[in-house]
Structures are given as C-alpha cells and as structure tokens.
Amino acid sequence: MIYGTEFMRDKANCYKTHWFAIAVDLNELDLNHEDTINFQFPSTPFWSLNPVEVNLELTKLQKSITSPQKYKIEYYKLISTKYYNHEKIFTDGSKSDLVVGCAAVPVPQDLDEMDMRLLNDASIFTAEASALDMALSTICKSSKPAFVILSDSLSCLQAHETLDPRIPKLKTKYNSLTLEG
C-alpha cells in the first residue's frame, strides 16, 4: 500500500509540474482568455451522428478546362433538378492580410442575412466553418421545411463526410436539425 501511495504522490507532482510549465508558456504568449473558444466534446459521439448529405457533383468538372459559363449551366441544372423546392443559403469565408470574416446569405432574402468579423489570426477554414455555422443557425430559426447550403469550401464540405474533429459543433447542430425533422 505504501508503494501505491508513493506512486500517486509522484503522479500528482508530475501533473502539477506539467501544468506549471504550460502556465508559464501561456503567460509568455500573453494569451488572453477572452480570445479563446471554450471546447467541449459533444455528448453524442461523431460516429453515431446522422451523416451530412454533401453534394460534390460540381467538383467533377475540371477547373482548368471548365468555363465559368459551363459551371453556371451545371449549377442551375443541379439546383433545378435536385433542390428546386429548397430555400438556398450561400456561405463564404474570407481572409485578407488585415481581416477575416464570413457570411451566410439566404436567397430569397426573407430570412436574415448574417455576417461576422473573426479574429485576425483565424484561418480560412475557420471562416468557412463559421459561415456554415451561421447558415445552420438561420435554419434553426426558420419554420421552412427544406434548405440547401451552398458553399465553395471543399475542405469544410469534405470534413462533414468524415470523422474530422475540427467541426464538432457543426456536426452536432446538423444532427439536431435532422432529428427535429
């Protein structure tokens, strides 16, 4: 029993030492708690969430040889056949040398448009994911039955098709919307 007590005491000291080292590093970085996002694992594991339907048909067109007119024709064909009775929400994230922002714009605009400025050091992935989050928030507030979110962020769309841990909030929000009907 003494061995077990000694082991636990050493383990506790190890954790304290490690935490102290992290605290010192965070202090040197001048990290402001207000600039951080609280993270918590969703109560439902990723693998049991409803799969997100992602349509990547337009990515089959080779960008280097496809004209903008051809993209437009294929886009309208896709919207008119698969999503003709859906409300449309366009999303975009943007990053320049000075600012980062995102927006979700419903068309027609009988729903509220949302836009937000993000921290200057946010990534383009974060901007695109935030735009998708705003689109899902718009859907949550609406009583309309069918939506399609239109995004140009291939990395965010592909993240939805996998167990990508960078977007738990989006997957959880999507899952709750699909459960509500």
Side-chain angles (χ1 to χ4, degrees):
M1 193 64 173
I2 293 173
Y3 174 75
T5 306
E6 288 297 317
F7 175 74
M8 292 305 287
R9 187 178 311 135
D10 288 343
K11 197 172 182 181
N13 287 338
C14 176
Y15 289 137
K16 287 179 188 173
T17 304
H18 182 69
W19 182 248
F20 179 75
I22 292 172
V24 169
D25 289 343
L26 291 176
N27 237 359
E28 287 177 11
L29 289 173
D30 194 28
L31 183 70
N32 182 352
H33 178 69
E34 298 295 319
D35 293 338
T36 62
I37 297 173
N38 291 330
F39 174 80
Q40 125 183 9
F41 286 101
S43 57
T44 307
F46 288 139
W47 54 88
S48 65
L49 297 176
N50 292 328
V52 176
E53 181 190 331
V54 176
N55 186 320
L56 299 176
E57 283 183 43
L58 292 178
T59 64
K60 292 175 185 169
L61 300 172
Q62 204 173 354
K63 195 172 188 177
S64 60
I65 60 171
T66 305
S67 71
Q69 186 63 25
K70 174 72 172 169
Y71 274 118
K72 201 174 196 178
I73 290 167
E74 293 302 316
Y75 161 77
Y76 284 116
K77 194 186 305 180
L78 181 64
I79 291 296
S80 65
T81 56
K82 280 195 166 186
Y83 305 105
Y84 60 91
N85 64 341
H86 290 63
E87 301 295 323
K88 294 157 201 65
I89 302 178
F90 291 87
T91 66
D92 198 22
S94 181
K95 180 176 176 105
S96 72
D97 291 338
L98 302 174
V99 295
V100 182
C102 58
V105 181
V107 175
Q109 291 194 331
D110 54 340
L111 297 169
D112 290 336
E113 178 179 316
M114 299 175 80
D115 60 76
M116 178 172 56
R117 183 158 189 263
L118 302 171
L119 296 174
N120 292 344
D121 57 350
S123 68
I124 189 65
F125 184 91
T126 298
E128 295 284 1
S130 297
L132 290 171
D133 183 47
M134 288 190 290
L136 291 172
S137 294
T138 298
I139 294 168
C140 286
K141 295 175 194 170
S142 176
S143 60
K144 298 190 179 202
F147 285 87
V148 60
I149 299 173
L150 301 141
S151 171
D152 66 350
S153 176
L154 184 59
S155 59
C156 278
L157 296 174
Q158 288 172 331
H160 276 288
E161 291 187 313
T162 65
L163 296 176
D164 193 314
R166 295 177 293 174
I167 56 169
K169 181 180 176 185
L170 293 176
K171 287 184 176 227
T172 304
K173 193 180 274 190
Y174 176 83
N175 190 64
S176 65
L177 278 169
T178 58
L179 293 175
E180 291 172 9

